[in-house]
Each structure stands twice: as structure tokens, then as C-alpha cells.
Amino acid sequence: MSGAFALPANPVTQIIEDKLRKQLKAVKRTSMGSEYVAFHASRDEVIALAESDLVSAFRRVVLDPVRGLVMLMTPSGKHEITSRDMDRFVGCVAALKGIKTKQLGSTRWRRESDPKNTGNEADCSFYFGQNAIDCGRAYARSEAEGDAYTYRVAPDLVVEVELTHKSKEKYLSYRDKGVVEFWQLNARGKTVAATFLDLQAQPDPLEVDTSINLPDLKPAHVIEFIQKWSKEALSYLEYYEVVRYLLEDNKDALRIREEAAEYEFAS
């Protein structure tokens, strides 16, 4: 027999790609302008989607085969600016408190046993203390060792921008991976809401008044930072001074809370 022939495509991959294309016809938009698609799928479909080129169009990805969770987002400029502000904020707080930190940004977090390319890409993620030291040493030895370290050790803190209690599936997915502290931040116009969660509290994640990893830091500090300084073009030294002021002179700031719309999941 002569001539080349094509092997039949994986039917599961075809099914999940068709499902995604259908969802893309009605892309949703958050209040900050980010575009996203969120739906549930079977374990095999999630694993197949992880191998699909279609997900490369999105810069934030959650592919959780255990919970059957698919969330794909293209962040807006405002979303990205707020996320990077939180990177700087947490870095400055840790420096002021003498806590070693390693910023992992939007690393896709998964366990060693999870299928390839699945996992959760956070808006911000961090190691602190010995975990930060060990991660840095692992990456200094080789990229493969560094990546292997992130598979074994969950981040100490994950920050997600524009989430509420109602969007619990995403933070429960982080809980499954061993994340202890999770911040939910919603910024809409002049209104800012922040919540700190202890994900490993039993029997359910518990809202806490102060950070687990950064002692004495409260949601009010995050809120005031975003409200007053996120629109400013600050040097790193200016960021440091602003955060120092918030921690030293504004310890009793009032907490501001407002519920925001949850991410909608397609049926």
C-alpha cells in the first residue's frame, strides 16, 4: 500500500474542543474587562483539553480534572496592573517584616501525580521563609529541579483578583493542592473588597482577620493600598515607603466589604 494516511483524531479531544468552541461564541466579561470561559467537563475531557492548542489563546488557565473544572481567562489591562501591584505590595510587606519571599507569579500549580499541563495559574503566588529559600536553590541547580519543587510544594499564598465567596470552586481547587492562604481581591472603580481565607481550616475554608504568612497584615491594608496608590506610577522605593506607612500608621483602618458577582459557569 502506498501513500500516507492520517491516524484518526482522539475523539475525546474533538469533543472537548467542540465544547470549548461552543462556549467561545458567548465569551463572558468581568467587571474589570477581562474575558473568560468557565464550564465543567469530565476528567478525560479536561486532560484532553490540557493537550489542546486552543488553550494557548488564554493567559490564565485552570484545568482541574479532579473537580472537572475548566476556567480560561484573558486578563484586561486593569486586571494585570492590579495583579502586579499585589506582587509589589506583598514583596514590600515581606521585606519590612524580614520574611524571605519568592514571587512565582502565574505559575501553573499542580501536584506530581496530576496529568501533564493541568493545574491552576494564579494571578499572584508566593513562597515564604524556608520554602522561598529551597525553591531558589532548586532553580539555581536546574530548571527541572525548580519545576519539580513546585510540583511537590504548594505555594504559601495565592492571590486572585476579582473573586468572591461564591466562586468557591476555584479556591477549593487550590485547597486540594495544599495551598494554605488565599486572598480574594475585587476592585471595581473606587470600590475594593478583600478577603483572607485559611484554606486548610476544617471542616471548611475559614475567613481570617489577619494574614497567616504575614503577621498583623489585614485586608484593610490591602484595600487602602489599592484605593489610594494603585493609580500612581511609583518607584520601588516609593512602594516600600507607602507600605511602611500603611503598616506603621494605619493599623486600625476600617475594613470595607462589598459582595461582587461570581464567575458564571456555563451549563
Side-chain angles (χ1 to χ4, degrees):
M1 180 181 292
S2 61
F5 64 95
L7 294 174
N10 184 336
V12 176
T13 301
Q14 288 185 327
I15 290 172
I16 192 61
E17 287 187 346
D18 289 343
K19 190 172 185 177
L20 177 55
R21 289 189 182 95
K22 181 179 179 180
Q23 301 300 335
L24 289 174
K25 294 178 181 178
V27 172
K28 300 177 180 65
R29 186 181 295 270
T30 70
S31 60
M32 294 180 74
S34 301
E35 295 182 336
Y36 73 96
V37 174
F39 58 94
H40 294 98
S42 70
R43 181 180 186 277
D44 288 344
E45 287 176 334
V46 174
I47 294 173
L49 186 58
E51 299 294 338
S52 170
D53 291 336
L54 289 179
V55 300
S56 62
F58 298 88
R59 300 205 306 276
R60 294 289 188 280
V61 174
V62 174
L63 296 171
D64 187 338
V66 175
R67 292 186 174 273
L69 179 62
V70 177
M71 295 185 72
L72 310 173
M73 185 172 76
T74 300
S76 66
K78 182 179 179 182
H79 182 284
E80 289 296 84
I81 289 171
T82 303
S83 298
R84 299 294 70 79
D85 282 340
M86 292 310 301
D87 270 335
R88 297 184 186 96
F89 176 80
V90 171
C92 289
V93 172
L96 283 162
K97 292 182 175 295
I99 299 171
K100 293 186 183 300
T101 183
K102 178 69 70 174
Q103 297 180 355
L104 280 300
S106 56
T107 295
R108 188 177 298 185
W109 296 96
R110 68 179 179 89
R111 295 159 295 195
E112 286 184 286
S113 59
D114 291 337
K116 183 180 178 181
N117 295 332
T118 62
N120 300 40
E121 291 180 0
D123 290 326
C124 312
S125 53
F126 308 87
Y127 283 133
F128 298 110
Q130 192 61 48
N131 285 346
I133 295 170
D134 292 343
C135 177
R137 289 173 177 171
Y139 272 111
R141 290 191 292 271
S142 72
E143 183 176 353
E145 284 199 45
D147 289 346
Y149 184 86
T150 66
Y151 299 153
R152 296 193 306 272
V153 182
D156 294 305
L157 170 64
V158 164
V159 180
E160 289 284 359
V161 174
E162 201 174 39
L163 287 175
T164 71
H165 286 300
K166 296 178 182 179
S167 299
K168 62 187 297 184
E169 282 186 277
K170 193 171 186 180
Y171 70 68
L172 289 177
S173 182
Y174 282 114
R175 176 179 179 162
D176 294 344
K177 293 173 176 61
V179 176
V180 173
E181 185 171 1
F182 185 90
W183 295 1
Q184 298 173 320
L185 176 64
N186 183 275
R188 296 182 297 165
K190 295 182 179 180
T191 301
V192 181
T195 304
F196 294 177
L197 296 176
D198 177 353
L199 292 189
Q200 299 303 321
Q202 297 297 328
D204 299 303
L206 178 69
E207 184 175 343
V208 293
D209 293 330
T210 58
S211 171
I212 297 170
N213 289 288
L214 302 170
D216 302 319
L217 184 71
K218 299 180 179 181
H221 294 126
V222 177
I223 291 169
E224 183 162 353
F225 176 78
I226 294 298
Q227 286 180 324
K228 290 188 175 181
W229 303 104
S230 62
K231 298 178 180 63
E232 301 292 332
L234 303 176
S235 68
Y236 190 83
L237 180 59
E238 288 171 326
Y239 269 106
Y240 186 90
E241 290 302 314
V242 165
V243 174
R244 183 177 63 80
Y245 162 76
L246 289 176
L247 297 181
E248 292 181 354
D249 299 328
N250 197 28
K251 295 180 180 178
D252 297 321
L254 293 176
R255 186 173 183 179
I256 302 171
R257 291 289 307 280
E258 176 173 320
E259 289 300 321
E262 64 178 301
Y263 282 98
E264 298 177 24
F265 282 82
S267 59

